[in-house]
Amino acid sequence: MSQYILALDQGTTSSRAILFDRDGRIHGSAQQEYPQHFPQPGWVEHDPRDIWNSQLAVAREVLRAHRVGSFHLAAIGIANQRETTVVWDRHSGEPIAPAIVWQDRRTAEACDHLREAGWAERIQAKTGLELDAYFSASKLAWLLEHVPGARARAERGELAFGTVDSWLVFKLCGRHVTDASNASRTMLFNIHTMQWDAGLLELFSIPEAMLPEVVASSGDIGPASSEWFGGPVPIAGIAGDQQAATFGQACHKPGMVKNTYGTGCFMLMHAGRSPAVSHNRLLSTVGWTVDGRTDYLIEGSVFMGGATVQWLRDGLGIIRESHEVEALAASVPDNGGVFLVPAFAGLGAPHWDPYARGALVGMTRGTHRGHIARAAVEAIAYQSAELLDAMCRDTGCPVAEVRADGGAARNDMLMQFQADVLGVPVVRPQVTETTALGAAYLAGLAVGFWESQEEIAAQWRAERVFEPAIGDEQRRALMGRWNEAVVRSKGWA
């Protein structure tokens, strides 16, 4: 009898593989970082082969370490970094260029031209998205224009485009598919008709032959080849990482909110069975398609969350390991008037300024690395507080709590400060790897490993609740000062 679901969690800076049992508990995990490439200012690239090789390696590692064979696995679920754009040769299976990562800003000017031509509102009406270089469409158009021979090959049907889920499924089983949650992040998919949009394909000059088939988030996609894990294993779940985390947090009902603290921070609210309309520059996106029904979400995206701490480690060298930031930030009683706006890749929601750049303001001769570390931690919380404020203005309904997950959710100082500036409780679950858990749940539902979403929701357990510890006046003062710092970062490039 199958005992586990294998979740492949392909993230921006690392690949993970996690085994989940029927109680939704982690049986084993493995993780591997892979190289990041920054060939020019504002450019961020991955080698698609590094993505595949690292993901395959950790999957094999966790199975080997826990003596789990393919016959122990009921299914594979995949969660992935979204918007990152991969193009490969259909016959050789080799990428034709580096993957352009979601953080990449090289197409900001092209998006500006489309905005000036009046396309922003029309694109938002169809896709629920802001016209921004964040999404896949302009990245794919750039590859077709700048890789020699790519456009002609694409028009002949020789090339395949996909987000990272498509790339992994192709390598695992040879099918060229994506799910609706990932399709909705390309800026080429109409979230009302649930189909690729001919008008947008024409606008971006994308040959339709390049596009993957759109399948359900939970359903039989096909078996992973026996060469990878010693026997065939059904691939039965796919979702973009933030939609997967929302599902894994059991935010299955309208008004429920989760925030993932990963490389970026992504706050999502369940919006029901029809697309929401944001008047505060948030995104309307497909959550998941299960049993023929589609759930929609409203989302705010922060580009630099945990990546801000990585910058302290790799860029400034003031910490050796990411987990050291909490102790360093706690070494000072407050931020000493220092604010860090980590707009290293521009600003996401609700500002959408691709030309903003990082700003460190308020320093004096008394400023030292503890203040900078604290400002970095607080910046993650401030950016997320902006998102919840926009969501509440969009929906008009108060939020009872925010469910937190992701690597940085283990930072107690961050979670407490987040509750303070949100003004609502922040709840950390017992299983914080909810991205992988959501992918596992989607796969498990498809193969009967779990019977229903109600069974899944019953498995969710809180590990700790962080209650707000400051008053409204202090909260408004802190957010006001943060907003002043943000203004100084805007339009810099």
Side-chain angles (χ1 to χ4, degrees):
M1 185 177 180
S2 300
Q3 298 172 270
Y4 308 108
I5 300 288
L6 173 63
L8 306 182
D9 180 5
Q10 205 301 301
T12 308
T13 58
S14 69
S15 296
R16 298 181 187 179
I18 302 180
L19 289 167
F20 289 97
D21 65 19
R22 290 182 186 275
D23 294 322
R25 298 192 182 101
I26 294 174
H27 180 71
S29 66
Q31 180 176 358
Q32 183 181 121
E33 292 191 1
Y34 60 94
Q36 310 290 301
H37 303 283
F38 311 100
Q40 295 186 37
W43 290 30
V44 188
E45 295 179 348
H46 293 155
D47 185 332
R49 291 164 295 197
D50 289 336
I51 292 174
W52 163 243
N53 290 332
S54 61
Q55 190 65 77
L56 178 62
V58 293
R60 286 173 162 171
E61 179 185 339
V62 73
L63 296 180
R64 182 174 59 252
H66 295 274
R67 298 182 180 180
V68 172
S70 60
F71 52 89
H72 293 117
L73 299 176
I76 293 171
I78 296 172
N80 57 283
Q81 55 165 311
R82 304 172 302 171
E83 300 95 20
T84 295
T85 300
V86 187
V87 177
W88 66 92
D89 185 293
R90 289 185 182 277
H91 304 293
S92 70
E94 288 299 309
I96 67 164
I100 302 181
V101 179
W102 58 272
Q103 297 166 318
D104 190 283
R105 310 308 295 170
R106 76 185 68 180
T107 59
E109 188 174 346
C111 291
D112 287 343
H113 293 323
L114 290 173
R115 187 176 296 104
E116 291 162 5
W119 279 99
E121 289 187 5
R122 282 178 279 180
I123 288 173
Q124 185 183 39
K126 290 181 175 185
T127 68
L129 307 178
E130 286 279 329
L131 174 52
D132 192 81
Y134 176 30
F135 305 103
S136 309
S138 63
K139 303 178 192 297
L140 177 54
W142 189 96
L143 287 169
L144 291 177
E145 289 302 315
H146 290 83
V147 177
R151 180 166 296 283
R153 294 174 66 194
E155 289 173 351
R156 291 195 300 266
E158 297 173 7
L159 301 182
F161 151 73
T163 42
V164 169
D165 59 307
S166 298
W167 171 241
L168 293 178
V169 171
F170 183 84
K171 299 298 282 187
L172 285 167
C173 76
R175 285 195 70 187
H176 184 209
V177 303
T178 190
D179 90 299
S181 74
N182 279 293
S184 74
R185 310 299 294 191
T186 62
M187 216 157 66
L188 298 170
F189 188 75
N190 189 313
I191 63 172
H192 305 278
T193 65
M194 296 295 285
Q195 294 178 336
W196 298 116
D197 190 272
L200 294 176
L201 294 177
E202 182 179 358
L203 176 65
F204 288 99
S205 299
I206 307 299
E208 188 172 3
M210 298 186 73
L211 301 180
E213 176 189 353
V214 180
V215 299
S217 308
S218 178
D220 183 13
I221 294 157
S225 172
S226 297
E227 69 177 295
W228 306 128
F229 307 122
V233 184
I235 303 170
I238 303 175
D241 52 10
Q242 301 314 315
Q243 288 96 328
T246 309
F247 198 81
Q249 283 274 36
C251 292
H252 301 159
K253 297 178 180 178
M256 298 183 74
V257 178
K258 75 88 195 172
N259 197 27
T260 294
Y261 299 82
T263 301
C265 288
F266 301 90
M267 184 175 287
L268 289 89
M269 174 188 285
H270 195 293
R273 292 283 167 82
S274 59
V277 177
S278 174
H279 301 287
N280 292 282
R281 306 195 75 184
L282 300 178
L283 308 177
S284 184
T285 193
V286 173
W288 46 81
T289 300
V290 178
D291 293 333
R293 298 189 303 271
T294 299
D295 288 47
Y296 291 87
L297 308 172
I298 189 168
E299 173 178 338
S301 310
V302 168
F303 296 155
M304 295 292 292
T308 308
V309 176
Q310 291 178 324
W311 174 72
L312 296 181
R313 181 192 69 188
D314 302 334
L316 295 189
I318 66 174
I319 54 175
R320 290 172 298 179
E321 301 290 342
S322 294
H323 66 82
E324 295 173 3
V325 71
E326 184 172 6
L328 181 58
S331 69
V332 292
D334 54 47
N335 65 14
V338 176
F339 286 79
L340 170 63
V341 183
F344 303 121
L347 287 170
H351 306 284
W352 295 108
D353 183 352
Y355 303 109
R357 289 297 179 264
L360 186 60
V361 299
M363 292 183 292
T364 67
R365 285 290 300 272
T367 299
H368 56 76
R369 64 193 192 106
H371 295 110
I372 296 173
R374 191 174 186 107
V377 171
E378 292 180 352
I380 299 171
Y382 283 129
Q383 292 176 99
S384 296
E386 290 182 304
L387 301 181
L388 188 66
D389 177 66
M391 282 181 182
C392 291
R393 284 187 281 124
D394 266 339
T395 62
C397 63
V399 171
E401 65 181 23
V402 172
R403 295 184 174 185
D405 56 69
R410 301 186 188 96
N411 184 323
D412 288 351
M413 169 181 262
L414 170 59
M415 293 295 96
Q416 182 57 58
F417 191 74
Q418 185 69 89
D420 290 344
V421 295
L422 289 178
V424 299
V426 173
V427 185
R428 184 169 61 200
Q430 291 179 0
V431 177
T432 57
E433 298 292 352
T434 52
T435 299
L437 181 58
Y441 279 151
L442 289 167
L445 282 173
V447 298
F449 196 77
W450 292 289
E451 294 299 325
S452 66
Q453 292 187 37
E454 289 73 21
E455 179 185 356
I456 286 169
Q459 293 184 353
W460 189 90
R461 295 286 187 276
E463 181 263 325
R464 182 170 174 183
V465 179
F466 296 85
E467 297 282 354
I470 64 173
D472 291 343
E473 185 176 347
Q474 185 178 356
R475 184 176 303 113
R476 284 192 295 268
L478 288 170
M479 290 303 301
R481 199 64 168 150
W482 163 257
N483 290 330
E484 291 178 31
V486 170
V487 168
R488 286 160 170 78
S489 77
K490 287 187 171 183
W492 187 262

